Amino acid sequence: MHHHHAMIAGAADMWEVAAGLEARGVTDVDARRLRHRDVFGLAEELFARVPRKTARTAAPAPAPHPEHPRGRARPHPHPHPRDLALHLLPGAACSVAAALHTPAPVAVAVLAATAWPALHRGPLRTTGRAAARVPAALCALALLALARCGPDPVGTGTLAVLALTLLPAAALARWFAASARAQLAPSHSLADFADAVRPRLLAALAGYAATLLVLLALLGSLRGSAVGALLFAARLLSVHGAPRAATAGLAAAVAAQALLAALLPVAAGTAEAAACGAAALALAAHCLHRVPRASAHRT
């Protein structure tokens, strides 16, 4: 309690304490050594015994909820209409750019400029220092530039489809975050929580991939599907506290794609699918390992 006093005193609730303890290496084995069933039971006692900071003491305690015996209601967040508009703007702007047959660099710039506000609001927003966030953003921009301006570029229509999937990506990320956060209450251990969250994460990843493939199929080509899947997996990692892994995956894909395109310019499309597909699978696997942890869902 003394060692983790600052974290406990600044926590919004006992679930944030449990996530913070896990992030600092406390396991269910450690909790049982301290005569508690699991980390959640230990967090409950620590949260009760450590006084809240002044800003926290004025907040009323949450009312018990009948569905969750530990007293935390399942969150039901709803997007603000302004957020919906921000997430629809990139798709609309890129669709107009495709209709006007704008040059490739201009189309990429339009997508980057219109997506930037959306990625700084709502469920796809990342926190932390700019030093951790900017490299991932630059790698994502380089990936899109390679896809649209490389030796075998995708069409502006494909770029518009990628932009249109920003809204379903945000919806899936919002649903997953709320669902995982609600699972903290009924879980009886960290392993129990991870086992319950992992299928939800798989559903979010599969839901985005299915949406992207359907839209690309309507366009008549599946080019760009690996790029979209990679960008979504990287964003989920960044949102849930692993920006370095996301940056590493994006940077590896950019380097591999650039190298393969330079060596085999006539097969640039295959290079894109191979580089981005492999990186997307690697990041998805890391997502399934990293994101189901309770520490990835701290407020």
Side-chain angles (χ1 to χ4, degrees):
M1 184 169 60
H2 174 74
H3 186 66
H4 302 291
H5 186 276
M7 181 271 293
I8 300 167
D13 49 38
M14 58 169 286
W15 320 116
E16 189 172 347
V17 174
L21 290 175
E22 189 207 31
R24 296 176 180 213
V26 179
T27 66
D28 290 332
V29 175
D30 299 321
R32 285 192 288 272
R33 192 180 301 121
L34 298 172
R35 299 184 180 181
H36 286 275
R37 182 182 61 186
D38 50 40
V39 169
F40 292 95
L42 177 61
E44 187 173 11
E45 179 179 351
L46 292 174
F47 185 75
R49 293 180 62 179
V50 174
R52 307 275 67 75
K53 289 181 179 178
T54 305
R56 304 284 191 183
T57 54
H65 193 273
E67 293 183 7
H68 296 319
R70 295 191 182 187
R72 182 174 181 85
R74 182 186 181 94
H76 291 282
H78 298 287
H80 192 277
R82 182 173 56 183
D83 293 336
L84 290 176
L86 284 176
H87 287 86
L88 284 171
L89 178 61
C94 288
S95 298
V96 172
L100 296 177
H101 303 287
T102 57
V106 175
V108 174
V110 167
L111 175 54
T114 54
W116 185 261
L119 295 175
H120 283 71
R121 292 184 62 89
L124 294 176
R125 180 176 65 89
T126 59
T127 58
R129 297 176 299 176
R133 292 184 285 116
V134 171
L138 292 177
C139 288
L141 183 60
L143 200 66
L144 292 169
L146 271 175
R148 183 67 187 96
C149 309
D152 184 17
V154 300
T156 311
T158 299
L159 207 63
V161 167
L162 290 173
L164 286 170
T165 61
L166 189 61
L167 182 61
L172 287 166
R174 184 185 299 275
W175 167 80
F176 170 70
S179 178
R181 181 74 179 168
Q183 188 59 39
L184 282 167
S187 297
H188 299 295
S189 68
L190 296 175
D192 185 27
F193 173 78
D195 290 341
V197 168
R198 197 169 286 111
R200 292 167 168 82
L201 177 58
L202 277 172
L205 292 169
Y208 176 80
T211 302
L212 179 60
L213 289 174
V214 167
L215 291 177
L216 288 174
L218 292 175
L219 188 65
S221 172
L222 296 183
R223 278 286 306 276
S225 56
V227 175
L230 173 58
L231 290 174
F232 183 61
R235 198 65 186 183
L236 277 182
L237 278 171
S238 294
V239 168
H240 292 285
R244 292 182 179 177
T247 303
L250 291 170
V254 170
Q257 185 179 344
L259 178 62
L260 290 174
L263 295 175
L264 301 169
V266 295
T270 305
E272 171 195 302
C276 295
L281 288 175
L283 287 190
H286 190 63
C287 269
L288 292 173
H289 170 70
R290 173 68 177 82
V291 176
R293 299 177 183 177
S295 55
H297 302 274
R298 286 179 290 177
T299 55

